[in-house]
Amino acid sequence: MSWSGDPVWLADVLRAAGLRVIEHDGWRDRGHGDFRDLRGVLCHHTAGGGSQDWRIVQYGRPDLEGPLAQLVLERDGTFRVIAAGVCWHAGRGSWPGWPTDNANYHVIGIEAVSRGDGSDWTPAQLDAYKRGCAAILARIGRTAEDCVAHREYSREGKIDPAGIEMDSFRRDVQAFIDGEEAPMSAAEVNQIREFVTAFCGPISADVKDIREQLCGEAQRDIGQYGGWPQLGNHTVVDALADVIARLERLEKREHPLP
């Protein structure tokens, strides 16, 4: 059964998912009235991209009174908890199972800090976005089918969150709901590879040899990779295993079983 009432548990649920959280003063009492039943999460971008984007979400703009979303997701993956009550973020639109033109009273809004051109998402932010959505949906008894882009819901020409392919996003969110680790995208794998190469340099023959020294007898005994001379021609793994075995034998001698 879906949760009814205000999500006063937001900060706790996000932290339990391993996410960094900043609680803004008074967030539990901030909002435009109380929720009815909660049916999902609506994903946005701020279209600013700066460190102060949260101020507009909390305090509003000249044409729309804040708060404008319950959560702000910073570029480093930190969630700001702005409000527990209803926020003005959904506008007019529809999604299966949600009230037409009235989603504000039924869905939690996440405003992710971004310029809005789809080019500046960080890996930490995208990972937190998925994990945060999953944690909220699991708490309210919903699946990733109720994790929706503003552009998918809106009939007012919204484009947010730009640059995020929602079918793939939902698959990853569902994996987290199911207790699985969502696979990294090809772009994320490439970013990690580029970082390692930049930090460590190209994987040289020396590094390769050291790595294989750690693999034990199976590779040493094919005649290509001998052990370390200072370890009696054992690999590092072999040497550690020998030390542990000796310690276990010593322990048994000093403390024999009755």
Side-chain angles (χ1 to χ4, degrees):
M1 179 180 295
S2 295
W3 174 272
S4 295
D6 292 343
V8 294
W9 36 259
L10 273 174
D12 292 338
V13 163
L14 293 172
R15 283 200 185 94
L19 298 164
R20 295 187 297 275
V21 175
I22 297 173
E23 297 183 56
H24 285 222
D25 288 346
W27 71 268
R28 290 181 179 82
D29 300 314
R30 185 176 293 117
H32 305 287
D34 296 328
F35 275 97
R36 295 160 195 170
D37 63 314
L38 284 170
R39 304 189 189 186
V41 176
L42 198 58
C43 299
H44 306 262
H45 65 229
T46 60
S51 62
Q52 301 301 307
D53 284 13
W54 67 267
R55 293 184 177 277
I56 294 176
V57 177
Q58 179 164 322
Y59 299 115
R61 27 178 229 262
D63 63 326
L64 192 62
E65 181 185 1
L68 306 183
Q70 286 76 27
L71 299 168
V72 171
L73 175 58
E74 296 288 354
R75 289 171 53 75
D76 68 353
T78 299
F79 276 96
R80 294 181 179 271
V81 188
I82 301 294
V86 171
C87 297
W88 303 146
H89 64 97
R92 293 178 297 172
S94 62
W95 185 259
W98 296 7
T100 298
D101 296 339
N102 195 29
N104 285 325
Y105 287 85
H106 298 273
V107 300
I108 291 171
I110 302 177
E111 287 279 359
V113 175
S114 169
R115 288 191 298 269
D117 61 7
S119 68
D120 61 344
W121 299 110
T122 69
Q125 189 178 30
L126 289 172
D127 182 66
Y129 216 161
K130 296 169 187 176
R131 291 177 186 273
C133 288
I136 293 167
L137 290 165
R139 180 64 178 81
I140 65 177
R142 294 277 175 158
T143 71
E145 290 303 309
D146 286 302
C147 177
V148 182
H150 195 197
R151 65 175 182 272
E152 295 177 305
Y153 166 84
S154 177
R155 57 186 176 89
E156 298 177 301
K158 301 299 183 181
I159 66 168
D160 51 325
I164 294 180
E165 201 286 307
M166 288 305 295
D167 287 337
S168 174
F169 190 90
R170 277 188 282 268
R171 284 194 296 271
D172 290 348
V173 168
Q174 189 61 49
F176 285 127
I177 292 174
D178 295 339
E180 304 169 1
E181 283 294 319
M184 288 188 293
S185 68
E188 290 171 325
V189 171
N190 285 335
Q191 285 179 320
I192 292 173
R193 183 179 293 115
E194 289 170 3
F195 171 80
V196 171
T197 300
F199 187 77
C200 300
I203 302 301
S204 67
D206 289 341
V207 173
K208 182 172 180 288
D209 287 347
I210 293 170
R211 182 190 65 199
E212 287 160 344
Q213 287 286 330
L214 298 174
C215 293
E217 292 182 355
Q219 293 209 0
R220 185 197 66 197
D221 290 345
I222 62 176
Q224 294 180 358
Y225 308 107
W228 295 98
Q230 60 267 49
L231 296 177
N233 291 323
H234 292 304
T235 66
V236 172
V237 172
D238 292 337
L240 286 174
D242 183 63
V243 169
I244 291 171
R246 290 170 184 265
L247 289 173
E248 288 177 345
R249 289 196 295 270
L250 180 61
E251 179 73 14
K252 288 179 182 178
R253 286 201 300 270
E254 293 184 350
H255 302 284
L257 292 174

